[in-house]
Amino acid sequence: MKAYEKVVAARANNRFTALDLIGSVFAHFMEMHGDRRFGDDKAIVAGIAYLNTTPVTVIGIEKGHDVKERSMRNFGSAHPEGYRKALRQMKLAEKFNRPIICFVDTSGAYCGIGAEERGQGQAIAENLVEMSGLKTPVISVIIGEGGSGGALALSVANEVWMLENAIYSVISPEGCASILWKDSTKAREASECLKLTAEDLLTLGVIEKIIPEGIDAGNAALIDTLKNELADAVKKYSAMSRDELVEHRYNRFRNIGQI
């Protein structure tokens, strides 16, 4: 598949969502609500679950399926209270030594007036800073769209993975085309330039792993692979000391882009 075809696949209406994967990969998911400051943003789901027998904190950006649900979830574009809810659960995970697993699927953080008034930029920045120093394992998986700071706010991890047909970019192809060529219809060309596919980003060292989707993106093989890979990663990083985890995460980001 070419880059723009991956964009279309990542945005497909029938694509699985974070809650679909959470329900298949984990057991006994108990969702937590609210940021203790403003409200509960339904674009982000967060809670505690079991990965096999290991208690973990799971955080996902949820788009929803039909129009009603997508509207309620704000189409996966989180408000600042969503990112603050995620951070609250991350700090609790650190306190109780629970590994953190994030599922990312967003075109970007919500950019409305209300979100800006409530500190959207600050909320994202706080997540970046706090996640870089979390003394517990963090694995982030891009499952659909990984757009701009809205995705990065849940992706400061020890490892970042992508599903085969996911995308991860600083800007949408349409936004890029509008800036470079003043023509959003050139999104296909922009997709090639952005190097947003999983294969591109693995080559560039931005991600560590690609999870194959197969012909049927919702099949059992994908779930089994993802579950097994996450279990192995949790075991690997849980063996590290708290300081080693922070140093590993720091070095990971320092080494991106080195030739």
Side-chain angles (χ1 to χ4, degrees), residues 46-66:
I48 304 168
Y50 280 92
L51 177 60
N52 296 324
T53 59
T54 304
V56 296
T57 288
V58 185
I59 301 167
I61 303 179
E62 173 66 22
K63 283 186 173 180
H65 289 287
D66 55 29

Side-chain angles (χ1 to χ4, degrees), residues 19 31 33 39-45 60-64 69 71-74 76-79 81-82 85:
L19 280 174
E31 186 175 356
H33 298 275
D40 183 44
D41 183 4
K42 297 187 183 300
I44 289 186
V45 294
I61 303 179
E62 173 66 22
K63 283 186 173 180
E69 188 177 359
S71 179
M72 184 261 289
R73 301 285 183 185
N74 207 38
S77 292
H79 291 78
E81 48 269 21
K85 172 169 67 172

Side-chain angles (χ1 to χ4, degrees), residues 7-215:
V7 173
V8 174
R11 295 171 172 173
N13 289 334
N14 61 347
R15 190 173 178 83
F16 45 78
T17 68
L19 280 174
D20 294 333
L21 290 180
I22 290 171
S24 298
V25 173
F26 304 96
H28 308 298
F29 175 64
M30 180 180 294
E31 186 175 356
M32 306 295 182
H33 298 275
D35 67 341
R36 299 284 179 89
R37 298 191 191 181
F38 181 81
D40 183 44
D41 183 4
K42 297 187 183 300
I44 289 186
V45 294
I48 304 168
Y50 280 92
L51 177 60
N52 296 324
T53 59
T54 304
V56 296
T57 288
V58 185
I59 301 167
I61 303 179
E62 173 66 22
K63 283 186 173 180
H65 289 287
D66 55 29
V67 173
K68 182 178 180 180
E69 188 177 359
R70 289 196 168 201
S71 179
M72 184 261 289
R73 301 285 183 185
N74 207 38
F75 296 85
S77 292
H79 291 78
E81 48 269 21
Y83 293 113
R84 291 175 178 135
K85 172 169 67 172
L87 182 57
R88 185 167 75 89
Q89 294 304 317
M90 290 178 196
K91 298 300 287 185
L92 285 172
E94 180 183 49
K95 178 178 180 180
F96 295 106
N97 296 314
R98 287 193 299 267
I100 300 167
I101 297 168
C102 299
F103 289 145
V104 177
D105 185 13
T106 181
S107 58
Y110 186 62
C111 57
I113 293 175
E116 296 299 329
E117 288 175 340
R118 297 193 300 278
Q120 184 71 285
Q122 183 184 32
I124 292 172
E126 284 178 350
N127 276 31
L128 303 183
V129 171
E130 294 290 342
M131 287 187 76
S132 66
L134 284 173
K135 294 182 177 181
T136 195
V138 184
I139 305 295
S140 293
V141 187
I142 314 298
I143 64 171
E145 287 187 275
S148 192
L152 190 59
L154 294 184
S155 302
V156 183
N158 292 98
E159 289 192 15
V160 176
W161 305 346
M162 291 178 67
L163 298 194
E164 183 180 5
N165 295 324
I167 59 173
Y168 189 27
S169 175
V170 69
I171 193 172
S172 70
E174 293 81 5
C176 177
S178 296
I179 291 171
L180 293 183
W181 299 296
K182 311 299 181 186
D183 184 359
S184 62
T185 63
K186 292 189 175 182
R188 187 177 297 273
E189 292 90 331
S191 298
E192 297 293 338
C193 297
L194 285 168
K195 302 297 181 184
L196 45 64
T197 69
E199 291 81 2
D200 288 330
L201 294 167
L202 183 65
T203 300
L204 293 169
V206 176
I207 65 170
E208 280 74 27
K209 188 171 295 184
I210 299 174
I211 305 296
E213 295 184 21
I215 298 174

